[in-house]
């Protein structure tokens, strides 16, 4: 008898009929002789509505960490309710099919997290609780996206975090497999909603998937991939509405990945560029800036320090630019402005409405010419590049948000030309497959 963890995203449980369909898939897995743990997200767009509601009533962030923490606590308690609803409904639907089922929230399932509202990490899972229920022959349904900290506060894991709940449970329970059921048929060469000709990948390496998830391919939450890789959890991404399709296996790096120039293209439309302008070219400023960001719990992404330039008196000045998410931009700007007198800079520059477009592939290691092809593709589409960042298996360009979809489409044509050979017929086939 194997243990399977199945995770269903919001669109998979968006209404009662869909919940019934998911209950049937869980029951079928039990009929195959497996023990089944189901992790479920909030129904449809529930979390978005809760975010909107919560933000309407939330006090503005202040310099008082205790006050911010207090609102963070209530905000997490609010967001976590979405998964509690879907968990109860799915448990009822499974029982309606004549199977024993129990729903557990993060605390009841023994999911311990760090004490950081809104993006807590899972620290440990008390597996005895779930094993007890499984051994009594029950299908166990667990809320995704949430846990409990050492003081008993409800915490959430960051948007999209139910994937991480599922993989962490699969790792802790030593499940044979973790199936992430979603509204597309696997991991594609890029978001099939932006490029209908995108190709479904049969397999992708953990490191490539991790990089793609980090740069915006929301099909998997980055921490879920990190956890799967560390714990060697066999991970499959597949379709809730075409469960017979094989989906995409996330696996260790193999030769096939190295043979491809690029494996995937992703886009993050939530970027703001900030710059500290005209500070004197002396060691230590970058340390002060990023130290202050870290103290404010602000994640900094792309970083560029320009070549120093002389002011009218011949004194060498420098600029330091970086990106943050739109949600953290106001806090990050405040931190920079507070630093102005200390570092003697001329000012702070901000540009909003930017997107980061990235190409990812383990095959780009030691293969020249890929960056040039990327820049050329963006130039051909007449799209300006505001910043560039590279890692061993990724190249990212910051572009205006309005140009982002065109950028992804142009890059897909260049790096996956086979998908565009017969544009019209390929588009209609993929559209039919993903049920547009
Ligand atoms: P769920 O609610 O099931 O967690 P998400 O909306 O979080 O689903 O993730 C699935 C979505 O991810 C797809 O509908 C698709 O638009 C988007 N996506 C982005 N990049 C990719 C990609 N490379 N492959 C597949 N889907 C992608
Ligand atoms: N419901 C949460 C969200 O919308 C978690 C998830 O769906 O993974 O972000
Ligand atoms: Mg998701």
């Amino acid at each position: 008898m194997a243990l399977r963890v199945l995770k269903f995203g919001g669109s998979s449980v968006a209404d009662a009929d869909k919940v019934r369909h998911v209950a049937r898939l869980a029951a079928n897995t039990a009929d195959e002789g497996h023990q089944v743990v189901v992790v479920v997200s909030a129904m449809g767009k529930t979390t978005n509505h809760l975010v909107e509601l919560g933000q309407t009533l939330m006090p503005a962030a202040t310099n008082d960490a205790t006050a911010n923490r207090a609102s963070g606590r209530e905000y997490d308690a609010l967001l976590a309710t979405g998964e509690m609803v879907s968990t109860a409904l799915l448990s009822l639907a499974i029982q309606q099919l004549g199977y024993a089922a129990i729903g557990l929230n993060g605390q009841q399932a023994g999911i311990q997290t760090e004490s950081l509202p809104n993006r807590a990490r899972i620290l440990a899972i008390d597996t005895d609780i779930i094993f007890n229920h499984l051994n009594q022959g029950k299908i166990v349904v667990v809320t995704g996206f949430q846990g409990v900290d050492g003081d008993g506060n409800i915490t959430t894991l960051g948007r999209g975090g139910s994937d991480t709940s599922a993989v962490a449970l699969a790792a802790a329970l030593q499940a044979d497999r973790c199936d992430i059921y979603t509204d597309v048929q696997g991991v594609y060469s890029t978001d099939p909603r932006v490029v209908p000709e995108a190709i479904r990948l049969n397999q992708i390496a953990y490191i490539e998937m991790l990089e793609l998830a980090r740069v915006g391919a929301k099909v998997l939450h980055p921490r879920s991939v990190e956890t799967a890789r560390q714990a060697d959890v066999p991970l499959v991404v597949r379709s809730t509405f075409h469960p017979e399709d094989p989906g995409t296996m996330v696996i260790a790096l193999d030769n096939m990945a190295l043979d491809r120039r690029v494996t995937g293209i992703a886009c993050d439309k939530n970027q703001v560029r900030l710059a500290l302008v005209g500070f004197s070219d002396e060691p230590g400023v970058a340390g002060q800036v990023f130290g202050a960001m870290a103290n404010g719990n602000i994640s900094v992404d792309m970083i560029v320090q320009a070549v120093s330039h002389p002011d009218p008196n011949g004194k060498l000045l420098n600029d330091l630019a970086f990106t943050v998410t739109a949600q953290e931009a106001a806090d990050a700007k405040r931190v920079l402005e507070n630093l102005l007198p200390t570092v003697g800079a001329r000012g702070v520059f901000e540009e909003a409405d930017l997107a980061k477009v990235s190409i990812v592939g383990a095959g780009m290691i030691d293969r020249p010419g890929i960056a040039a092809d990327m820049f050329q593709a963006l130039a051909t589409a007449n799209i300006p590049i505001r910043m560039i960042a590279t890692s061993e298996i990724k190249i990212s360009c910051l572009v205006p948000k309005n140009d982002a979809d065109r950028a992804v489409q142009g890059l897909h044509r260049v790096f996956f030309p086979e998908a565009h050979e017969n544009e019209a017929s390929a588009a209609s086939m993929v559209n039919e497959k993903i049920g547009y």
Side-chain angles (χ1 to χ4, degrees), residues 57-70:
L57 296 174
M58 187 130 120
T62 62
N63 287 331
D64 177 353
T66 315
N68 294 341
R69 217 175 174 77

Side-chain angles (χ1 to χ4, degrees), residues 105-394:
N105 66 26
Q107 182 166 26
Q108 291 169 325
I111 301 177
Q112 283 289 335
T113 73
E114 61 184 356
S115 190
L116 181 65
N118 228 231
R119 52 176 164 180
R121 279 179 183 269
I122 295 177
L123 298 175
I125 299 179
D126 177 358
T127 53
D128 287 352
I129 302 171
I130 294 180
F131 275 130
N132 275 339
H133 291 297
L134 288 173
N135 292 338
Q136 291 166 32
K138 294 177 204 160
I139 294 176
V140 180
V141 185
V142 182
T143 50
F145 182 53
Q146 61 179 268
V148 62
D149 73 8
D151 296 320
N153 301 307
I154 296 170
T155 52
T156 63
L157 312 181
R159 295 303 306 270
S162 297
D163 299 330
T164 299
S165 310
V167 176
L169 279 164
L173 298 166
Q174 298 189 315
D176 301 81
R177 212 169 78 195
C178 181
D179 285 355
I180 305 284
Y181 283 91
T182 184
D183 57 0
V184 287
Q185 270 144 306
V187 180
Y188 283 70
S189 47
T190 192
D191 189 340
R193 302 191 189 283
V194 177
V195 180
E197 298 86 351
I199 300 164
R200 184 182 57 77
L201 308 171
N202 289 325
Q203 51 197 48
I204 183 168
Y206 289 114
I207 51 162
E208 295 178 310
M209 190 62 241
L210 181 57
E211 202 73 67
L212 273 174
R214 281 191 184 137
V215 294
K218 78 176 194 202
V219 63
L220 283 175
H221 189 244
R223 278 186 197 157
S224 70
V225 189
E226 223 170 79
T227 309
R229 183 184 173 199
Q230 273 163 10
D232 256 335
V233 175
L235 189 60
V236 181
V237 179
R238 60 199 316 168
S239 160
T240 306
F241 304 107
H242 299 271
E244 65 292 350
D245 283 9
T248 302
M249 285 282 309
V250 189
I251 55 164
L253 190 60
D254 67 347
N255 282 338
M256 213 176 130
L258 295 172
D259 287 347
R260 301 187 282 235
R261 292 176 84 211
V262 168
T263 295
I265 303 170
C267 178
D268 171 355
K269 293 184 178 167
N270 197 28
Q271 297 272 307
V272 171
R273 176 163 66 143
L274 291 169
L276 188 67
V277 183
F279 54 89
S280 87
D281 190 21
E282 283 156 21
V285 176
Q288 276 176 283
V289 169
F290 297 120
M293 293 295 157
N295 288 339
N297 236 322
I298 296 164
S299 307
V300 170
D301 189 358
M302 302 166 95
I303 301 174
V304 172
Q305 172 139 3
V307 183
S308 16
H309 47 89
D311 74 357
N313 305 318
K315 188 178 164 204
L316 279 182
L317 296 181
N318 226 326
D319 302 334
L320 180 63
F322 58 90
T323 62
V324 293
T325 63
Q327 290 72 19
E328 293 188 312
D331 286 347
K333 195 173 177 204
R334 202 174 316 120
V335 170
L336 277 188
E337 282 166 351
N338 289 342
L339 275 177
L340 280 179
T342 328
V343 298
R346 302 265 152 107
V348 173
F349 164 91
E350 180 184 11
E351 185 181 10
D353 295 327
L354 295 169
K356 182 175 64 173
V357 181
S358 307
I359 57 174
V360 170
M364 68 174 67
I365 301 171
D366 290 335
R367 210 182 245 144
I370 296 180
D373 287 353
M374 179 177 196
F375 306 149
Q376 189 56 52
L378 295 176
T380 307
N382 210 8
I383 295 171
I385 301 174
R386 298 274 200 266
M387 264 170 133
I388 297 169
T390 61
S391 77
E392 225 181 3
I393 66 161
K394 175 197 75 186

